[in-house]
Amino acid sequence: NAGVTQTPKFRILKIGQSMTLQCAQDMNHNYMYWYRQDPGMGLKLIYYSVGAGITDKGEVPNGYNVSRSTTEDFPLRLELAAPSQTSVYFCASSYVQGAVPTYEQYFGPGTRLTVT
Amino acid sequence: KQEVTQIPAALSVPEGENLVLNCSFTDSAIYNLQWFRQDPGKGLTSLLLIQSSQREQTSGRLNASLDKSSGRSTLYIAASQPGDSATYLCAVRNAGGTSYGKLTFGQGTILTVHP
């Protein structure tokens, strides 16, 4: 299994441009998450999904959109990029089942985005 | 709103020392707590997960404890090695029907183990 994969690894965007960060997992996990990590800080949740067709906002959703058309893929869309969106973006997934799931999350390697 | 704090922010120790990393959280109504390791430029690797009903978990040289009532967790690393150098992140899952496993992270402790 490849686990959680993210593309691209690095990207530089100009202010106002748009792009999609790709995330895929091959573990048949039902839950998926997007986080951002700013320098010297912990991760903050942007959006999450509990299954195909179901998404919801996290702590810092402004400026982002997501979709979940399949179990495997969870792309993150940035519209009108701003310098404040310069960050490292991590995608994660977990398999949630049973009465007392752990929700343990498995993370991708991240996408480093710079907006100038 | 849950807040997670990690102390110290950075730690530098000689090889072989036993060390303790601290994590505190403001809302004791947690579901579980997870410790992660992050190497520079890499993603997060899960080290230990402690359910709210547990007091500690062990994996090799790592031992994590949880005191839910006081809002604290510690990660103990025995006989540290240079390969343990990384950032260690503590993250908490709140209890509650709509939490969907969302994690609240601390800012991390940067550990350097020198030979």
Side-chain angles (χ1 to χ4, degrees), chain A residues 13-108:
Chain A
L13 278 182
K14 293 192 186 310
I15 294 171
Q17 287 185 320
S18 301
M19 76 164 293
T20 298
L21 281 65
Q22 301 291 346
C23 173
Q25 51 88 13
D26 62 357
M27 299 175 284
N28 200 32
H29 285 179
N30 46 355
Y31 283 42
M32 295 187 75
Y33 309 83
W34 273 106
Y35 293 90
R36 61 176 284 173
Q37 184 178 34
D38 298 324
M41 306 291 288
L43 282 69
K44 292 190 189 300
L45 182 66
I46 305 171
Y47 270 95
Y48 65 97
S49 167
V50 301
I54 306 170
T55 63
D56 206 348
K57 296 177 182 177
E59 193 180 354
V60 289
N62 290 347
Y64 307 95
N65 277 301
V66 294
S67 59
R68 183 105 182 264
S69 57
T70 67
T71 299
E72 295 79 19
D73 301 296
F74 190 39
L76 177 72
R77 177 87 178 155
L78 277 71
E79 305 281 3
L80 298 175
S84 61
Q85 293 178 304
T86 294
S87 190
V88 181
Y89 292 83
F90 289 101
C91 178
S93 70
S94 60
Y95 185 60
V96 179
Q97 186 190 34
V100 190
T102 65
Y103 296 98
E104 184 167 12
Q105 291 176 22
Y106 297 84
F107 282 76

Side-chain angles (χ1 to χ4, degrees), chain B residues 53-107:
Chain B
S53 57
Q54 297 175 318
R55 294 300 300 267
E56 64 179 324
Q57 281 280 10
T58 298
S59 176
R61 294 182 294 108
L62 305 179
N63 176 276
S65 67
L66 174 64
D67 184 343
K68 205 171 69 159
S69 60
S70 67
R72 286 191 286 200
S73 176
T74 60
L75 179 67
Y76 175 83
I77 303 177
S80 58
Q81 303 170 356
D84 294 330
S85 298
T87 298
Y88 290 81
L89 293 161
C90 169
V92 166
R93 277 189 188 84
N94 275 15
T98 60
S99 64
Y100 297 119
K102 291 180 282 187
L103 285 168
T104 302
F105 282 84
Q107 75 276 31

